[in-house]
Amino acid sequence: MYKACIFDLDGTLTDTLESLTYSVNLTMKEMGFPGITQEQCRRFVGNGANVLIEKALRAGGDRELAHFDEAMGLYRSIFDENCTYHVKPYSGVPRLLEELKGRGMKLAILSNKPDLQTAYVAEKIFGKGLFDIVRGQREDVPRKPDPAAALMIAEALGADRSETLYIGDSEVDAETGRAACMDTVLVSWGFRSREELEREDAARIVDSADEIIGVIDGRRDTDE
């Protein structure tokens, strides 16, 4: 039986694509570089803000990343002010989280978004108290797909890795779940196409939040 669920944030719980694209393009405009499209941003996200800005700069013509430090400083400031710009939860997600909470399951978020913004978005969109642990990217912990943070969260929640379900929307999440030896579900509504997800070794790909309940119930039935 699963005791805990660890969720990715962007592309899994919340649709943040517009906020990310908006913040990147304000940064690029300030730097004198062309902006990126939402589709480009969709492909660029998943490995943290540094990688997102690196890819945006290269797409804009700065292939040597000569302006990276300046762009990152600017992006951090801009994104801090706009991290909830047009952000909303995906369909069915609030109901899913309330159902899991009502069952007594422990809930956590693990994101490659900077830690402060991760906490702010989670509280702004879902309120206080829903998640037992919320973690974003920190300097002292390797970012996903390194499994360190996922394993630390499971331990803090009092759950073995075999009792923890990891849920995400990208190849980064699939790699994280594999590295942590956790059952992993990938959602098809996020930042990667189903075709891309099908190349990953996940326990299951789901098309709706309700299907995650099915995965959890299926594990419970098997254990019993």
Side-chain angles (χ1 to χ4, degrees):
M1 180 180 295
Y2 295 117
K3 293 181 179 179
C5 290
I6 301 176
F7 291 89
D8 172 53
L9 182 62
D10 296 355
T12 301
L13 296 177
T14 52
D15 184 353
T16 57
L17 187 60
E18 193 168 350
S19 71
L20 291 163
T21 307
Y22 181 74
S23 296
V24 169
N25 283 343
L26 283 180
T27 303
M28 294 298 105
K29 182 179 179 180
E30 187 73 17
M31 299 286 296
F33 289 104
I36 61 173
T37 65
Q38 280 200 7
E39 186 55 37
Q40 284 177 305
C41 191
R42 183 190 301 275
R43 298 197 308 269
F44 294 170
V45 298
N47 282 287
N50 286 11
V51 175
L52 172 59
I53 293 302
E54 285 178 7
K55 291 183 176 180
L57 284 172
R58 287 195 171 104
D62 183 11
R63 303 191 184 281
E64 302 301 321
L65 300 178
H67 298 85
F68 174 75
D69 289 341
E70 182 183 356
M72 272 307 304
L74 186 58
Y75 175 77
R76 288 190 185 100
S77 176
I78 289 173
F79 187 62
D80 192 53
E81 296 178 1
N82 296 283
C83 61
T84 58
Y85 178 80
H86 291 187
V87 171
K88 58 186 180 294
Y90 286 104
S91 175
V93 163
R95 184 177 66 249
L96 165 68
L97 297 174
E98 292 293 347
E99 168 70 18
L100 297 179
K101 196 72 172 179
R103 293 182 178 200
M105 294 189 69
K106 300 293 185 179
L107 304 180
I109 289 174
L110 175 58
S111 175
N112 275 342
K113 184 195 292 288
D115 191 56
L116 287 176
Q117 285 87 358
T118 298
Y120 182 78
V121 170
E123 183 174 324
K124 186 76 172 179
I125 302 302
F126 299 108
K128 292 183 178 181
L130 183 60
F131 294 95
D132 298 280
I133 296 175
V134 177
R135 293 285 183 269
Q137 186 177 346
R138 297 178 172 183
E139 293 297 327
D140 58 339
V141 181
R143 63 177 170 81
K144 300 185 294 183
D146 188 290
L151 293 172
M152 290 167 61
I153 288 172
E155 182 178 7
L157 294 176
D160 186 78
R161 67 181 76 196
S162 65
E163 300 169 324
T164 305
L165 184 64
Y166 184 87
I167 302 113
D169 74 303
S170 72
E171 71 286 351
V172 175
D173 295 308
E175 291 173 27
T176 302
R178 281 197 300 270
C181 296
M182 294 175 180
D183 288 348
T184 303
V185 168
L186 298 180
V187 305
S188 66
W189 57 76
F191 293 167
R192 301 292 187 266
S193 67
R194 173 172 273 277
E195 181 180 3
E196 290 173 297
L197 298 182
E198 287 173 349
R199 294 197 288 266
E200 302 300 329
D201 183 22
R204 186 167 175 180
I205 299 172
V206 298
D207 299 314
S208 71
D210 287 343
E211 288 184 60
I212 295 175
I213 294 291
V215 172
I216 293 169
D217 286 343
R219 167 68 183 270
R220 182 180 61 188
D221 293 343
T222 300
D223 290 346
E224 292 175 354

mmCIF file of all heavy atoms in Angstrom, residues 14 36 72 75-76 81 97 104 108-109 115 131 164 179 183 191 203 209 220:
data_model
loop_
_atom_site.group_PDB
_atom_site.id
_atom_site.type_symbol
_atom_site.label_atom_id
_atom_site.label_comp_id
_atom_site.label_asym_id
_atom_site.label_seq_id
_atom_site.Cartn_x
_atom_site.Cartn_y
_atom_site.Cartn_z
ATOM 1 N N THR A 14 0.248 21.928 -11.714
ATOM 2 C CA THR A 14 -0.136 23.265 -12.163
ATOM 3 C C THR A 14 0.328 23.536 -13.592
ATOM 4 O O THR A 14 1.423 23.144 -13.987
ATOM 5 C CB THR A 14 0.478 24.351 -11.242
ATOM 6 O OG1 THR A 14 1.894 24.134 -11.125
ATOM 7 C CG2 THR A 14 -0.155 24.306 -9.863
ATOM 8 N N ILE A 36 10.951 33.587 -26.931
ATOM 9 C CA ILE A 36 10.692 32.198 -27.328
ATOM 10 C C ILE A 36 9.182 31.983 -27.365
ATOM 11 O O ILE A 36 8.411 32.728 -26.763
ATOM 12 C CB ILE A 36 11.347 31.198 -26.353
ATOM 13 C CG1 ILE A 36 10.775 31.362 -24.929
ATOM 14 C CG2 ILE A 36 12.861 31.356 -26.355
ATOM 15 C CD1 ILE A 36 11.236 30.299 -23.945
ATOM 16 N N MET A 72 20.470 35.338 -15.974
ATOM 17 C CA MET A 72 19.953 34.610 -14.821
ATOM 18 C C MET A 72 19.574 35.554 -13.690
ATOM 19 O O MET A 72 18.532 35.383 -13.041
ATOM 20 C CB MET A 72 20.985 33.597 -14.327
ATOM 21 C CG MET A 72 20.915 32.238 -14.984
ATOM 22 S SD MET A 72 19.269 31.453 -14.959
ATOM 23 C CE MET A 72 18.882 31.436 -13.216
ATOM 24 N N TYR A 75 16.370 37.178 -14.762
ATOM 25 C CA TYR A 75 15.252 36.229 -14.766
ATOM 26 C C TYR A 75 14.765 35.937 -13.347
ATOM 27 O O TYR A 75 13.554 35.876 -13.094
ATOM 28 C CB TYR A 75 15.659 34.931 -15.449
ATOM 29 C CG TYR A 75 14.584 33.863 -15.391
ATOM 30 C CD1 TYR A 75 13.475 33.928 -16.229
ATOM 31 C CD2 TYR A 75 14.679 32.804 -14.495
ATOM 32 C CE1 TYR A 75 12.486 32.969 -16.179
ATOM 33 C CE2 TYR A 75 13.689 31.831 -14.434
ATOM 34 C CZ TYR A 75 12.596 31.924 -15.266
ATOM 35 O OH TYR A 75 11.608 30.967 -15.204
ATOM 36 N N ARG A 76 15.687 35.761 -12.428
ATOM 37 C CA ARG A 76 15.287 35.482 -11.042
ATOM 38 C C ARG A 76 14.393 36.600 -10.499
ATOM 39 O O ARG A 76 13.384 36.342 -9.831
ATOM 40 C CB ARG A 76 16.520 35.321 -10.151
ATOM 41 C CG ARG A 76 17.300 34.042 -10.385
ATOM 42 C CD ARG A 76 18.355 33.835 -9.307
ATOM 43 N NE ARG A 76 19.189 32.688 -9.578
ATOM 44 C CZ ARG A 76 20.405 32.744 -10.104
ATOM 45 N NH1 ARG A 76 20.924 33.928 -10.425
ATOM 46 N NH2 ARG A 76 21.099 31.643 -10.320
ATOM 47 N N GLU A 81 8.527 37.935 -9.402
ATOM 48 C CA GLU A 81 7.343 38.800 -9.433
ATOM 49 C C GLU A 81 6.197 38.192 -10.237
ATOM 50 O O GLU A 81 5.046 38.619 -10.087
ATOM 51 C CB GLU A 81 7.705 40.153 -10.032
ATOM 52 C CG GLU A 81 8.704 40.954 -9.211
ATOM 53 C CD GLU A 81 9.063 42.275 -9.867
ATOM 54 O OE1 GLU A 81 8.510 42.566 -10.951
ATOM 55 O OE2 GLU A 81 9.878 43.009 -9.290
ATOM 56 N N LEU A 97 -6.123 15.704 -4.900
ATOM 57 C CA LEU A 97 -5.331 15.966 -3.701
ATOM 58 C C LEU A 97 -6.184 15.894 -2.436
ATOM 59 O O LEU A 97 -5.752 15.347 -1.413
ATOM 60 C CB LEU A 97 -4.660 17.330 -3.814
ATOM 61 C CG LEU A 97 -3.644 17.476 -4.957
ATOM 62 C CD1 LEU A 97 -3.157 18.919 -5.054
ATOM 63 C CD2 LEU A 97 -2.467 16.524 -4.777
ATOM 64 N N GLY A 104 -5.715 9.948 4.345
ATOM 65 C CA GLY A 104 -4.611 9.925 5.285
ATOM 66 C C GLY A 104 -3.249 9.758 4.645
ATOM 67 O O GLY A 104 -2.256 9.511 5.348
ATOM 68 N N ALA A 108 3.550 15.396 -0.975
ATOM 69 C CA ALA A 108 4.723 16.268 -1.096
ATOM 70 C C ALA A 108 4.863 16.762 -2.522
ATOM 71 O O ALA A 108 4.353 16.145 -3.466
ATOM 72 C CB ALA A 108 5.989 15.530 -0.672
ATOM 73 N N ILE A 109 5.553 17.869 -2.662
ATOM 74 C CA ILE A 109 5.941 18.407 -3.967
ATOM 75 C C ILE A 109 7.457 18.417 -4.038
ATOM 76 O O ILE A 109 8.132 18.817 -3.086
ATOM 77 C CB ILE A 109 5.407 19.838 -4.166
ATOM 78 C CG1 ILE A 109 3.887 19.834 -4.353
ATOM 79 C CG2 ILE A 109 6.080 20.515 -5.362
ATOM 80 C CD1 ILE A 109 3.276 21.222 -4.419
ATOM 81 N N ASP A 115 13.328 26.994 -4.938
ATOM 82 C CA ASP A 115 12.609 26.595 -3.735
ATOM 83 C C ASP A 115 11.586 27.630 -3.274
ATOM 84 O O ASP A 115 10.440 27.284 -2.956
ATOM 85 C CB ASP A 115 13.620 26.320 -2.613
ATOM 86 C CG ASP A 115 12.986 25.637 -1.414
ATOM 87 O OD1 ASP A 115 12.380 24.569 -1.592
ATOM 88 O OD2 ASP A 115 13.100 26.181 -0.315
ATOM 89 N N PHE A 131 -0.106 20.124 1.594
ATOM 90 C CA PHE A 131 1.107 19.333 1.403
ATOM 91 C C PHE A 131 1.910 19.265 2.693
ATOM 92 O O PHE A 131 2.080 20.267 3.381
ATOM 93 C CB PHE A 131 1.958 19.911 0.273
ATOM 94 C CG PHE A 131 1.312 19.810 -1.066
ATOM 95 C CD1 PHE A 131 0.591 20.878 -1.579
ATOM 96 C CD2 PHE A 131 1.403 18.647 -1.803
ATOM 97 C CE1 PHE A 131 -0.023 20.777 -2.821
ATOM 98 C CE2 PHE A 131 0.805 18.536 -3.041
ATOM 99 C CZ PHE A 131 0.077 19.602 -3.550
ATOM 100 N N THR A 164 6.045 4.666 -1.655
ATOM 101 C CA THR A 164 5.938 6.035 -2.176
ATOM 102 C C THR A 164 5.689 6.012 -3.675
ATOM 103 O O THR A 164 6.414 5.361 -4.421
ATOM 104 C CB THR A 164 7.221 6.823 -1.882
ATOM 105 O OG1 THR A 164 7.494 6.780 -0.478
ATOM 106 C CG2 THR A 164 7.086 8.264 -2.327
ATOM 107 N N ALA A 179 15.597 6.231 -10.504
ATOM 108 C CA ALA A 179 16.788 6.338 -9.665
ATOM 109 C C ALA A 179 16.460 6.151 -8.192
ATOM 110 O O ALA A 179 17.276 5.626 -7.426
ATOM 111 C CB ALA A 179 17.465 7.684 -9.893
ATOM 112 N N ASP A 183 7.803 3.482 -7.555
ATOM 113 C CA ASP A 183 6.811 3.360 -8.616
ATOM 114 C C ASP A 183 6.522 4.760 -9.145
ATOM 115 O O ASP A 183 6.385 5.707 -8.362
ATOM 116 C CB ASP A 183 5.526 2.733 -8.089
ATOM 117 C CG ASP A 183 5.686 1.246 -7.794
ATOM 118 O OD1 ASP A 183 6.703 0.654 -8.207
ATOM 119 O OD2 ASP A 183 4.772 0.679 -7.147
ATOM 120 N N PHE A 191 3.985 18.873 -19.896
ATOM 121 C CA PHE A 191 4.865 19.555 -20.834
ATOM 122 C C PHE A 191 5.488 18.638 -21.881
ATOM 123 O O PHE A 191 6.271 19.107 -22.708
ATOM 124 C CB PHE A 191 5.985 20.265 -20.072
ATOM 125 C CG PHE A 191 5.507 21.420 -19.220
ATOM 126 C CD1 PHE A 191 6.342 21.986 -18.276
ATOM 127 C CD2 PHE A 191 4.235 21.939 -19.370
ATOM 128 C CE1 PHE A 191 5.924 23.059 -17.501
ATOM 129 C CE2 PHE A 191 3.798 23.000 -18.601
ATOM 130 C CZ PHE A 191 4.643 23.559 -17.659
ATOM 131 N N ALA A 203 5.747 3.283 -14.527
ATOM 132 C CA ALA A 203 4.781 2.264 -14.147
ATOM 133 C C ALA A 203 3.512 2.411 -14.980
ATOM 134 O O ALA A 203 2.887 1.420 -15.368
ATOM 135 C CB ALA A 203 4.453 2.388 -12.658
ATOM 136 N N ALA A 209 -6.637 12.899 -13.746
ATOM 137 C CA ALA A 209 -6.273 12.803 -12.331
ATOM 138 C C ALA A 209 -6.950 11.621 -11.661
ATOM 139 O O ALA A 209 -6.374 10.978 -10.773
ATOM 140 C CB ALA A 209 -6.644 14.108 -11.626
ATOM 141 N N ARG A 220 -3.279 -1.224 -3.677
ATOM 142 C CA ARG A 220 -3.870 -1.653 -2.419
ATOM 143 C C ARG A 220 -4.526 -3.035 -2.578
ATOM 144 O O ARG A 220 -4.354 -3.918 -1.740
ATOM 145 C CB ARG A 220 -4.925 -0.640 -1.946
ATOM 146 C CG ARG A 220 -5.569 -1.001 -0.604
ATOM 147 C CD ARG A 220 -6.595 0.035 -0.220
ATOM 148 N NE ARG A 220 -7.671 0.097 -1.220
ATOM 149 C CZ ARG A 220 -8.630 1.032 -1.207
ATOM 150 N NH1 ARG A 220 -8.610 1.974 -0.280
ATOM 151 N NH2 ARG A 220 -9.562 1.017 -2.138
#
